[in-house]
Amino acid sequence: MKYDAVIFDVDGTLWDSTDVVASAWNLAMEELGVEREPITGNILKTVFGKPMNIIVDELFPNENQDVKDEILERACHHEHELLIKHKESLLFPGVREVFEELSKKCKVCVVSNCQCGYIELFLEKNNMEQYVTDIECYGNTLLSKGENIKLVMERNDIQNTFYVGDTMGDFNASKFAGIPFVYA
């Protein structure tokens, strides 16, 4: 079967930003005086792949919604700042080359449960914008990953594709969208 596109997840699939992102969450907690054990990259790996509102609920189950909203807003802000300043590559080996080669043969798209601007930052930081046809995320649409996969497929007239991800949530999203899943 010939595929006309490949759709990718970001975190855990294309790069590992968990330690940098953990620092952002810890800064947000410190600013707001929220007490809990420090968030680590390993803790984030247990929740990445879920929508941002679910992540904050799972990380802060005892906080009221206003505090959760403020933590999330600040964490996302710090996340962008810290990722921009981070000098070492967070990309998994070969990702840039895979995107470059795939883009010569089919559409390359990225769909994630992240906040607005995160995929754009990922692409810009890694100089990969030119290889990607389309992106979508929870932060833009407030839709599930499966719904966003379908949205990207419709927008780009994609008929034969698969989703590349690293979590059970990614598998379920591809199943919802009616496409095969490849575990990375």
Side-chain angles (χ1 to χ4, degrees):
M1 174 180 274
K2 182 167 171 37
Y3 292 100
D4 55 350
V6 180
I7 306 173
F8 290 90
D9 172 50
V10 178
D11 290 317
T13 302
L14 302 175
W15 75 349
D16 182 0
S17 66
T18 52
D19 290 335
V20 176
V21 173
S23 296
W25 284 91
N26 289 322
L27 278 171
M29 289 182 345
E30 182 182 325
E31 288 174 355
L32 296 169
V34 173
E35 295 195 19
R36 67 151 281 161
E37 69 180 75
I39 294 175
T40 64
N42 285 334
I43 290 171
L44 288 179
K45 286 176 184 175
T46 68
V47 295
F48 269 12
K50 299 176 182 179
M52 298 300 293
N53 61 323
I54 303 297
I55 291 174
V56 76
D57 284 344
E58 289 187 16
L59 293 176
F60 303 96
N62 300 322
E63 299 296 336
N64 70 48
Q65 193 58 51
D66 288 340
V67 172
K68 289 178 187 179
D69 291 345
E70 186 64 25
I71 292 169
L72 182 57
E73 183 178 324
R74 288 179 187 230
C76 290
H77 173 76
H78 290 307
E79 190 174 303
H80 281 251
E81 287 179 336
L82 293 174
L83 285 168
I84 288 168
K85 291 177 186 174
H86 193 79
K87 298 297 180 207
E88 297 84 36
S89 176
L90 300 170
L91 274 181
F92 291 128
V95 167
R96 190 174 196 293
E97 294 80 7
V98 166
F99 269 49
E100 185 176 357
E101 285 304 310
L102 279 176
S103 69
K104 294 174 186 175
K105 300 173 178 145
C106 66
K107 296 171 185 167
V108 176
C109 303
V110 179
V111 174
S112 177
N113 276 329
C114 61
Q115 70 272 20
C116 298
Y118 187 82
I119 299 172
E120 294 89 340
L121 173 63
F122 164 80
L123 294 173
E124 182 180 329
K125 183 159 186 68
N126 295 292
N127 192 27
M128 293 172 37
E129 306 100 315
Q130 68 272 25
Y131 307 126
V132 177
T133 303
D134 198 5
I135 65 169
E136 197 54 85
C137 69
Y138 171 82
N140 289 341
T141 64
L142 301 181
L143 297 174
S144 73
K145 188 177 284 187
E147 291 169 305
N148 281 327
I149 291 170
K150 289 174 84 169
L151 184 64
V152 165
M153 290 173 64
E154 291 167 15
R155 265 196 318 241
N156 295 282
D157 192 32
I158 296 170
Q159 303 301 312
N160 296 306
T161 189
F162 56 92
Y163 189 69
V164 181
D166 68 310
T167 67
M168 186 57 107
D170 294 336
F171 170 79
N172 291 333
S174 65
K175 188 175 177 182
F176 177 88
I179 60 173
F181 175 72
V182 173
Y183 178 74

